Amino acid sequence: MRHDHLITSKQLSLEDIETVLDRAAAIDADPSAVADRHAGRLLGLLFFEPSTRTKMSFETAMKRLGGDVVDMGSVESSSVKKGETLADTVRVIEGYADALVLRHPKQGAAKMASEYVDVPLVNAGDGAGHHPTQTLLDLYTIRENAGLEDLTIGIMGDLKYGRTVHSLAHALTNFDARQHFISPESLQLPREVVYDLHQEGDTQVREHESLEEVLPSLDVLYVTRIQRERFPDESEYQQVAGEYQIDTETLEAASDDLTVMHPLPRVDEIAPEIDDTEYAAYFEQAHNGVPVRMALLDLLLDDSGGENDE
Ligand code: NCD
């Protein structure tokens, strides 16, 4: 894999995806083999938006590779509060770290920031744009549970603002997948994403307002949270809040082999009673963030150190 920065999943070829997933599987099987691989190296964390899983799993991943992190901390306690621009902040922190991870509320922020730095920069979410490392762990989880060949997936919820959805949908065009998008009309996939999906691959794309008609055919149901923080108007959020929830009764119509995923955090989209069923893969999915991010950092740090062993 040869990428200076990872900004969107559109950059990832099938070969790139397989390289990361295979390396993650090897790390998962024997994490001790890489325990000192990046000793002395530092990952800079810049999170301008709340995060639990993404930030902590990047930190865990870097530490499990023998490295460490430097963390900008909250926006409130950083110089951003004094009016520092993102371009200046990343230029300063690249002097402290071997790679950077950035989450920012503005779509396009990671791409812009990457133009100011030489160390690898990983987009950990840019507004309603992209979240490519979530996609890698999603693909890893799909591969482990349902397989990536001949896949029928339903992606449900906030398809308009959900960056994990945009990234996953693009990445799935590398596979022979049938993608069903289920949402209220007001939260449909942006038209430019649909257009891109048709341009990019053999993927079949279908849009629905009801889960009922597609549920029995699905191998994977990927549920997402309505992205309340991205609605320009709270009343618009209230009109769709609480729609598209699933419980064990909903899943009576599903195949026994269905895998239910969610990038988390969930609000009320998946009833807790599903957690203990064979369907639920969302906590496993969150745990997969560590080996997958270890694999990705390992590849990016190898490349940036000039010792490309791929
Ligand atoms: C997602 C995100 O931040 O886009 N969370 C995550 O990284 N797992 C999903 C969400 O916030 O709904």
Side-chain angles (χ1 to χ4, degrees), residues 53-54 103 131 134 163-164 225 227 229 262-265:
R53 272 151 294 278
T54 305
R103 170 171 288 187
H131 193 350
Q134 177 70 41
R163 56 196 176 196
T164 69
R225 176 179 72 87
Q227 309 280 298
E229 66 278 25
H262 191 305
L264 301 180

Side-chain angles (χ1 to χ4, degrees), residues 49-55 103 124-127 130-131 133-134 137 161-165 222 224-227 229-230 262-266 269 286 293:
E49 263 194 347
S51 174
T52 304
R53 272 151 294 278
T54 305
K55 186 168 165 181
R103 170 171 288 187
D126 62 321
H130 283 268
H131 193 350
T133 65
Q134 177 70 41
L137 74 92
Y161 297 116
R163 56 196 176 196
T164 69
V165 171
Y222 188 96
T224 64
R225 176 179 72 87
I226 310 284
Q227 309 280 298
E229 66 278 25
R230 311 228 184 272
H262 191 305
L264 301 180
R266 72 173 145 182
E269 310 81 51
R293 292 186 168 113

Side-chain angles (χ1 to χ4, degrees), residues 33-263:
V34 291
D36 297 318
R37 245 174 99 71
H38 295 287
R41 305 192 85 180
L42 288 174
L43 182 65
L45 302 177
L46 297 95
F47 280 72
F48 291 77
E49 263 194 347
S51 174
T52 304
R53 272 151 294 278
T54 305
K55 186 168 165 181
M56 290 188 72
S57 65
F58 263 113
E59 182 165 354
T60 306
M62 192 60 187
K63 289 182 174 173
R64 290 209 184 281
L65 289 168
D68 209 337
V69 298
V70 279
D71 183 353
M72 184 188 80
S74 72
V75 167
E76 292 301 307
S77 66
S78 74
S79 279
V80 176
K81 258 319 225 196
K82 300 181 190 167
E84 186 167 58
T85 63
L86 177 60
D88 280 0
T89 304
V90 291
R91 272 184 289 193
V92 171
I93 300 183
E94 87 158 327
Y96 308 153
D98 299 287
L100 302 178
V101 178
L102 173 69
R103 170 171 288 187
H104 199 279
K106 279 217 179 76
Q107 192 164 341
K111 172 87 182 76
M112 185 279 281
S114 71
E115 283 159 13
Y116 289 89
V117 295
D118 291 326
V119 300
L121 184 143
V122 179
N123 179 12
D126 62 321
H130 283 268
H131 193 350
T133 65
Q134 177 70 41
T135 292
L136 289 166
L137 74 92
D138 291 343
L139 294 173
Y140 186 81
T141 308
I142 294 171
R143 192 168 83 164
E144 297 266 294
N145 285 273
L148 282 161
E149 301 307 316
D150 193 24
L151 177 73
T152 304
I153 185 170
I155 304 182
M156 181 169 87
D158 187 343
L159 313 181
K160 178 177 182 183
Y161 297 116
R163 56 196 176 196
T164 69
V165 171
H166 306 157
S167 285
L168 179 61
H170 280 294
L172 284 171
T173 61
N174 286 291
F175 302 89
D176 181 21
R178 286 167 294 281
Q179 302 196 61
H180 294 278
F181 296 98
I182 307 128
S183 72
E185 202 185 345
S186 62
L187 295 181
Q188 276 182 344
L189 268 186
R191 293 304 90 186
E192 66 271 18
V193 176
V194 177
Y195 177 81
D196 280 356
L197 296 180
H198 284 301
Q199 298 297 309
E200 275 166 27
D202 296 334
T203 293
Q204 291 175 35
V205 175
R206 301 265 185 284
E207 297 179 274
H208 313 261
E209 281 190 45
S210 151
L211 174 63
E212 218 180 333
E213 62 200 64
V214 285
L215 182 59
S217 69
L218 301 181
D219 302 310
V220 172
L221 175 60
Y222 188 96
V223 183
T224 64
R225 176 179 72 87
I226 310 284
Q227 309 280 298
R228 183 180 197 159
E229 66 278 25
R230 311 228 184 272
F231 280 69
D233 183 338
E234 174 71 15
S235 66
E236 280 180 40
Y237 168 74
Q238 291 304 340
Q239 281 170 21
V240 285
E243 286 195 46
Y244 299 90
Q245 297 171 339
I246 59 164
D247 56 20
T248 45
E249 202 185 319
T250 320
L251 297 185
E252 277 169 18
S255 140
D256 288 347
D257 296 329
L258 177 74
T259 300
V260 176
M261 294 173 59
H262 191 305

